[in-house]
Amino acid sequence: TLSVTKSNGVTQLTEGTSTTYTVTIANSGDLAAAGVEWTDVPTGMTIQSITPGSTTGTGAVAGTCGVTSPLGCTGITVPPASAGVNGSVSYTVTAQVTAMVSPTVTSVNNVASVTGANCTTLSPCTATDTDTLLTPTHFTVVKTAPETVITGASLSYSFTLGNSGQTSAAAAAGQVVTVREELPPGVAYVGATAGTGVSAVSCTGASPSLVCSVTLSSALAQNATASFTLQTTAPAAAGLITNHASVDPSGGTTPPA
């Protein structure tokens, strides 16, 4: 009797990411199952590769696999069970998520269907792995400061980092987010202080252009926030002060001058 399992070991996938499935065809019978084939039916993703993996038993044949229609493998021989251990043939399937989250699209799935050796498309000859689809991390930054300040006095800018995406900004504490700061003319950098959700912050560079490395103290989940404060000195001359900043994981975005 043949059966098939399929899993990528997770329950959630993010738009645009890759995932790896393990497909295992098992034989609990006393005779080898020859002429077996299986097809892969993805929804919301593109299959990039199908590679034979481990086998259990004597005389296993992984067959020929392909990623053009029909996806899957043919010419498979699954060894019989021996000493209470099922014979099996396994495959590794790599897929790229192509679906985008919408009101009608909230999950992606991948189906493995085995045929041959009296196996039909019904269970246990069909296995489906379904994962919730998430939008990627989307950093936001909000900066506030007093509306007025005395010339030459201390001036603090409060930064609040957020994540409007469904995927957490880090799987665990310790991710470093880069904030690029363009100080207004005449404003002098003094220092930076970590706030809620931030374990450390350090800024390098010379005024007016600063690059601040912000270490998160925990994963920044959707709608969660983390904060830090930038201490500066106001210009010696009176006038309007305009300050720009940008944020992303690698600091690739430069704020306007």
Side-chain angles (χ1 to χ4, degrees):
T1 301
L2 293 181
S3 62
V4 60
T5 60
K6 183 168 196 173
S7 176
N8 59 359
V10 299
T11 58
Q12 298 176 328
L13 290 174
T14 301
E15 295 174 353
T17 59
S18 294
T19 188
T20 300
Y21 297 91
T22 298
V23 176
T24 301
I25 304 172
N27 181 5
S28 61
D30 297 328
L31 300 175
V36 175
E37 59 184 66
W38 71 274
T39 56
D40 193 286
V41 182
T43 300
M45 58 182 63
T46 299
I47 302 302
Q48 297 175 311
S49 65
I50 301 176
T51 307
S54 61
T55 62
T56 303
T58 303
V61 177
T64 302
C65 303
V67 292
T68 56
S69 185
L71 302 171
C73 305
T74 60
I76 303 165
T77 298
V78 186
S82 177
V85 178
N86 291 344
S88 66
V89 179
S90 295
Y91 302 85
T92 299
V93 179
T94 302
Q96 178 83 27
V97 177
T98 56
M100 305 291 285
V101 175
S102 72
T104 58
V105 179
T106 58
S107 64
V108 293
N109 66 68
N110 197 300
V111 181
S113 296
V114 176
T115 56
N118 297 319
C119 211
T120 69
T121 56
L122 301 177
S123 179
C125 296
T126 297
T128 302
D129 185 295
T130 301
D131 298 309
T132 301
L133 183 62
L134 305 178
T135 56
T137 300
H138 184 261
F139 281 107
T140 60
V141 59
V142 175
K143 179 165 54 177
T144 59
E147 292 186 1
T148 59
V149 62
I150 298 174
T151 56
S154 296
L155 173 60
S156 294
Y157 290 97
S158 297
F159 291 76
T160 300
L161 306 180
N163 175 20
S164 62
Q166 295 173 327
T167 302
S168 295
Q175 178 173 344
V176 177
V177 178
T178 299
V179 176
R180 292 182 180 270
E181 165 70 18
E182 195 72 19
L183 292 173
V187 174
Y189 170 67
V190 176
T193 305
T196 302
V198 173
S199 59
V201 57
S202 62
C203 299
T204 59
S207 296
S209 300
L210 299 176
V211 178
C212 298
S213 297
V214 183
T215 304
L216 302 178
S217 58
S218 61
L220 197 63
Q222 185 179 26
N223 298 325
T225 59
S227 63
F228 70 97
T229 302
L230 203 66
Q231 291 88 31
T232 69
T233 301
L240 182 66
I241 301 173
T242 301
N243 194 321
H244 298 282
S246 63
V247 59
D248 66 50
S250 58
T253 303
T254 301

